[in-house]
Amino acid sequence: MNRQHSLSHVLARQWVVFTLGLSALFIAATLLLLFVLEDSFIDRRLRTVAASVADPAIAPPGLPSQFSVLAMRQLPDDIRTRVAGKATGHLAEFRRDDGRYVHVLLARADAGAPFAVIYDVTDELTVNAGLSRGLAFALPLLLLLLVCAYALARAFVGRVARRARGLVEAVLASPDPQHLHALAQREPVREFGDLVRLHAHAWQDQLAAVERERQTLAFLGHELRTPLQSARTSLALLERRRTDPAAWARLQRAVERLVRASTAILWLSSDAVPTAEGHTQAADCLRELVEELAPLAAVKNQRIELLVEPDLRWPWPSEVVETVLANLLLNAIQHGDAGAIGVCCTRDSLTIRNPRAPLDTGGFGLGLQIVQRLAARIGWAVSFEHDELTTTCTLAWPA
C-alpha cells in the first residue's frame, strides 16, 4: 500500500536530507583542504632543508632530527624501490615497511652526486591525529544542525502546506467554474494557479458534455412525438376496421411503448423529477409486460416465469415504471440463453434471473446507464451480478 504523507512532512524531510548531504560535502571539502595544506607545509620545509645541503657526505649544521640526508647507494631498500628511476626534484610520500610515514625529495649535490632528503613526518601529521577528536565535536554539531534544519523547514514549509490546504478547501467550495478561474487569477503561486485553472477547464468540459447530452435527448424525445402522433391518428381511423383483436392489441401496445420511450427521454433531458401522482399495480404491470414480450422470448426458446405479490403497488405513474421494467426484461431476453427467465417481485425489490449465454457480452452498455438514471429519478437502484450459469438483475426501491 502506498502510504501518503503531508506536504509539510515530505518537504521537511527532503530539506533535512539536503542539509545532511550539504554538510557531508562541506566536511569532506574541509578535510581535503586540511590535508592539502598540511602536505604543502611539509613539502615546503623539505625543499628548504634540501636547498641547504651542498654535499650529502657533510650534513649541514642544525639539521632537524626528523630529517636525514643519504646518498642513493645508502638508501634503505623500501625507499630505493619507491624512488628508483625518478628524476632530480621528484618528491614522493609513502608509508615505509616499519609503519613510519615519510616524504622523500631527490636532489643533486654541487659535485653532481645524487642524494635523497628524507623527512619522517609520522609525528607531524596533525590532521590525522586531530581527526578523531574533531569528529567528537563535529557529530553533535551536525546533529544540532539537522534538528535546526528540520525545525526551520517545518516552519517555512508549513506556510506552503497551509496555503495548499486552504486552496483545496476553496476549490471544493467553489459553486461554478468561473469562480475557480477567478481563484486561479488571484493565486500568487503560479503552479497552484495552474492546477486550479486545469480543474476549472475540466469542470467546464464536463458541464458542456452534460448539456450536449441533454440537448440530444430532448431532440430525440421531440422527434419521436411527430411519428407517434401520426400513428395514433392512423389507429383511430383503423379502429372500426380491425379484424384480428390480438394483432390489434399488440399494435396498440407497440405505439404505447413508443409513447413511454418518448416520455422517458424527455424526463432524462430535463431537471424535473416525476411526481408520485397516481400509482401502478405491480401484478397487472408485470403481467402485461410478460404477455407482450413472451412471443419474443419464445423465438429464443425461453419462457418467463412470474412470481409477484398480488396487492403490491408502486406510488409512481405507470409510464415511468413500465419503461424501466420493459428495458430490463428485454435485456434478459436478448442477452440470455434458452431456458426459464425468473421474475420475482417482493415488497423490497424485483429480481430477474436468466440463463447466461455462452458468449454473453453483458448487454445494455449505454442503455444500462440510461435505465439506471431513469430509475434513480424515482429512488430506485439497478444492479447486476454474474456467475457461470446465470445473470441476476436486482431492482431495489426504498421502503
Side-chain angles (χ1 to χ4, degrees):
M1 179 181 293
N2 185 18
R3 184 180 179 185
Q4 293 182 333
H5 300 280
S6 65
L7 178 63
S8 60
H9 178 77
V10 172
L11 295 181
R13 185 172 59 183
Q14 292 179 352
W15 184 262
V16 169
V17 174
F18 170 76
T19 303
L20 181 61
L22 191 63
S23 301
L25 290 176
F26 176 76
I27 292 174
T30 302
L31 290 176
L32 180 61
L33 179 61
L34 290 176
F35 280 120
V36 171
L37 290 176
E38 187 178 56
D39 276 350
S40 66
F41 294 151
I42 292 174
D43 293 342
R44 179 181 298 178
R45 188 178 182 192
L46 179 59
R47 294 182 187 278
T48 301
V49 172
S52 65
V53 178
D55 188 352
I58 303 173
L63 188 67
S65 59
Q66 297 93 346
F67 286 84
S68 59
V69 180
L70 298 174
M72 297 300 293
R73 64 180 180 277
Q74 296 175 339
L75 290 177
D77 294 338
D78 56 345
I79 297 179
R80 184 183 298 109
T81 56
R82 294 295 186 95
V83 298
K86 302 300 181 180
T88 301
H90 176 73
L91 195 152
E93 57 178 276
F94 50 86
R95 189 172 297 278
R96 298 186 60 183
D97 295 342
D98 59 359
R100 307 292 293 177
Y101 199 81
V102 296
H103 283 225
V104 179
L105 175 64
L106 299 182
R108 187 174 295 275
D110 295 340
F115 66 93
V117 181
I118 304 172
Y119 184 9
D120 188 346
V121 297
T122 303
D123 298 329
E124 300 290 331
L125 299 177
T126 56
V127 176
N128 287 339
L131 187 59
S132 59
R133 295 192 302 270
L135 288 177
F137 294 98
L139 290 179
L141 289 176
L142 180 61
L143 181 61
L144 179 62
L145 178 63
L146 293 179
V147 173
C148 294
Y150 184 79
L152 290 175
R154 292 284 293 185
F156 295 154
V157 175
R159 298 174 58 186
V160 179
R162 288 191 295 271
R163 178 63 186 171
R165 286 195 296 269
L167 186 62
V168 171
E169 293 175 357
V171 169
L172 294 177
S174 297
D176 50 53
Q178 287 70 29
H179 186 273
L180 288 183
H181 281 294
L183 183 64
Q185 190 68 25
R186 297 192 304 267
E187 176 57 43
V189 181
R190 182 177 60 187
E191 287 75 8
F192 286 171
D194 291 341
L195 288 175
V196 175
R197 196 172 291 107
L198 288 174
H199 184 70
H201 288 314
W203 194 352
Q204 286 178 328
D205 293 341
Q206 184 179 12
L207 291 177
V210 172
E211 177 61 20
R212 287 194 300 269
E213 180 186 2
R214 187 195 66 78
Q215 293 175 357
T216 301
L217 292 175
F219 173 77
L220 291 176
H222 286 292
E223 283 297 306
L224 284 174
R225 288 304 177 95
T226 301
L228 281 176
Q229 186 61 39
S230 299
R232 282 180 168 178
T233 303
S234 300
L235 285 175
L237 294 175
L238 295 174
E239 185 175 4
R240 292 172 295 178
R241 303 179 183 178
R242 57 183 179 180
T243 57
D244 187 350
W248 180 264
R250 285 196 297 271
L251 178 59
Q252 191 171 17
R253 283 197 298 267
V255 174
E256 292 174 355
R257 178 59 49 78
L258 289 175
V259 173
R260 291 196 299 267
S262 175
T263 304
I265 291 176
L266 290 176
W267 281 333
L268 288 178
S269 63
S270 65
D271 296 329
V273 179
T275 58
E277 297 178 358
H279 64 274
T280 301
Q281 193 73 25
D284 295 340
C285 177
L286 287 171
R287 289 194 187 98
E288 291 178 2
L289 289 175
V290 169
E291 179 183 354
E292 179 180 346
L293 298 177
L296 180 61
V299 174
K300 299 187 62 175
N301 296 323
Q302 297 170 334
R303 65 182 185 280
I304 302 177
E305 299 178 352
L306 177 62
L307 179 62
V308 56
E309 295 187 10
D311 57 345
L312 177 61
R313 295 196 308 175
W314 291 305
W316 298 105
S318 59
E319 292 85 355
V320 183
V321 176
E322 288 184 2
T323 300
V324 175
L325 297 182
N327 278 276
L328 295 178
L329 281 173
L330 188 62
N331 183 74
I333 294 172
Q334 291 178 343
H335 299 280
D337 201 3
I341 299 176
V343 181
C344 180
C345 185
T346 64
R347 295 282 179 181
D348 303 322
S349 63
L350 183 144
T351 303
I352 301 175
R353 290 186 177 88
N354 61 284
R356 189 172 185 179
L359 300 178
D360 180 26
T361 59
F364 264 113
L366 180 61
L368 174 60
Q369 298 180 18
I370 295 177
V371 171
Q372 288 176 330
R373 288 174 53 188
L374 184 59
R377 287 292 184 91
I378 57 176
W380 291 8
V382 182
S383 61
F384 284 84
E385 293 182 1
H386 304 278
D387 56 31
E388 296 181 357
L389 299 178
T390 61
T391 296
T392 302
C393 172
T394 303
L395 180 64
W397 46 80

